[in-house]
Amino acid sequence: MKQCFDLNGPNGIRYESTSFDSMDEIALMLLDSTTEAILQTTGLRQRLENGIKALEVGCGTGRLFLRFASMFPNSHFTLTDLTSKPMERARQHAQQEGLTNVAFRTLDVLEVPDDFKEAYDWIACAEVIHDLPYPLKALQGIHKALRPGGDFSLVDRFVSSYVAQNRDSDESAALYAISTFKCIPESYQQPDSEALGACWGEEKAFQLVRSAGMKAVGLSRCQGFFTLAVCMCEKAQ
């Protein structure tokens, strides 16, 4: 795929303001299932009830962490994205819900500033890593921001990393098609970009998490959605 793009590309649809409406609809559709899958992480619900500092990388329109903020008022939630446009909608949603335990910051996870270092007890990232040019560097940035003993929830479309194992799956076929016109053009902006696409898969995700210095402790499937799952990770004490 990258060789094809090298000839005349990448051509496709970048994530722009015109994408936010559809992204918001999808986020709402998946919200209940994603929330419950994340809370399968051992002890996370109790820690959120007691009060912790949480960070979302690539918040988009903010639906996921605003749900957690409404559920756990004792915790503080920082929502971040690379650009301010999607966060404008997230701010509007937070104001409409009257949430006071949230903050918003622009963040490039490939260049995490020092004031983020070991500042968060829990970090979540939903369907973002495979869209980035350097996914390992992004996971290393998350590792930097996570406190020792902290949890990381990696939400993504976890099919197999091996094409042959996905060939009989209609859902995988759809993800490959979407990736060709959306995910790969978004991530393949540099000659050495990984350009993983949405079918980067469970095996590749676990490998990169380990390479970034974290431990993958389990996979929690989102009920009703075959491929969407949460890779539950932790940083050593």
Side-chain angles (χ1 to χ4, degrees):
M1 186 65 70
K2 289 176 71 174
Q3 291 175 347
C4 293
F5 279 137
D6 285 340
L7 296 176
N8 184 25
N11 297 309
I13 306 170
R14 298 295 305 279
Y15 288 110
E16 299 174 344
S17 58
T18 53
S19 305
F20 296 158
D21 287 340
S22 59
M23 291 169 63
D24 204 42
E25 291 177 6
I26 293 171
L28 285 172
M29 181 178 67
L30 302 176
L31 189 55
D32 290 342
S33 180
T34 306
T35 301
E36 287 306 310
I38 288 173
L39 289 174
Q40 296 304 308
T41 301
T42 302
L44 181 59
R45 185 188 295 269
Q46 186 61 55
R47 290 192 290 276
L48 285 165
E49 289 176 349
N50 292 339
I52 59 174
K53 290 181 64 178
L55 173 73
E56 183 176 14
V57 173
C59 69
T61 57
R63 295 295 190 178
L64 181 61
F65 254 36
L66 295 183
R67 166 64 67 85
F68 279 106
S70 65
M71 293 174 65
F72 301 103
N74 291 332
S75 290
H76 188 272
F77 300 84
T78 300
L79 289 74
T80 69
D81 210 294
L82 182 59
T83 62
S84 60
K85 286 185 178 180
M87 285 194 292
E88 291 174 6
R89 295 201 181 192
R91 289 178 188 273
Q92 292 172 2
H93 296 323
Q95 291 173 355
Q96 291 168 0
E97 296 179 36
L99 298 172
T100 59
N101 58 333
V102 297
F104 300 88
R105 285 189 63 174
T106 301
L107 174 69
D108 181 356
V109 71
L110 300 177
E111 300 293 341
V112 173
D114 287 340
D115 66 310
F116 277 74
K117 185 176 181 180
E118 298 186 352
Y120 297 94
D121 304 286
W122 172 49
I123 300 177
C125 186
E127 299 193 79
V128 171
I129 298 298
H130 71 256
D131 282 332
L132 299 177
Y134 309 112
L136 176 57
K137 188 175 181 181
L139 290 169
Q140 289 169 336
I142 289 169
H143 179 272
K144 175 181 177 178
L146 195 61
R147 286 177 177 163
D151 295 301
F152 170 47
S153 301
L154 174 58
V155 184
D156 216 298
R157 303 279 173 173
F158 287 123
V159 296
S160 174
S161 298
Y162 303 102
V163 176
Q165 295 185 22
N166 297 326
R167 64 183 180 182
D168 295 326
S169 167
D170 291 340
E171 189 168 8
S172 295
L175 288 175
Y176 282 122
I178 292 169
S179 290
T180 301
F181 294 100
K182 193 78 170 178
C183 303
I184 294 176
E186 176 66 28
S187 62
Y188 190 26
Q189 298 303 310
Q190 302 294 333
D192 59 345
S193 298
E194 289 256 8
L196 291 176
C199 290
W200 63 315
E202 178 181 336
E203 298 88 349
K204 182 69 172 181
F206 274 60
Q207 173 199 331
L208 291 177
V209 163
R210 289 192 295 267
S211 297
M214 292 177 283
K215 180 181 180 181
V217 296
L219 197 71
S220 175
R221 298 284 179 186
C222 295
Q223 186 176 3
F225 299 94
F226 176 71
T227 62
L228 192 68
V230 181
C231 178
M232 299 177 287
C233 313
E234 59 185 28
K235 181 175 178 177
Q237 291 278 3

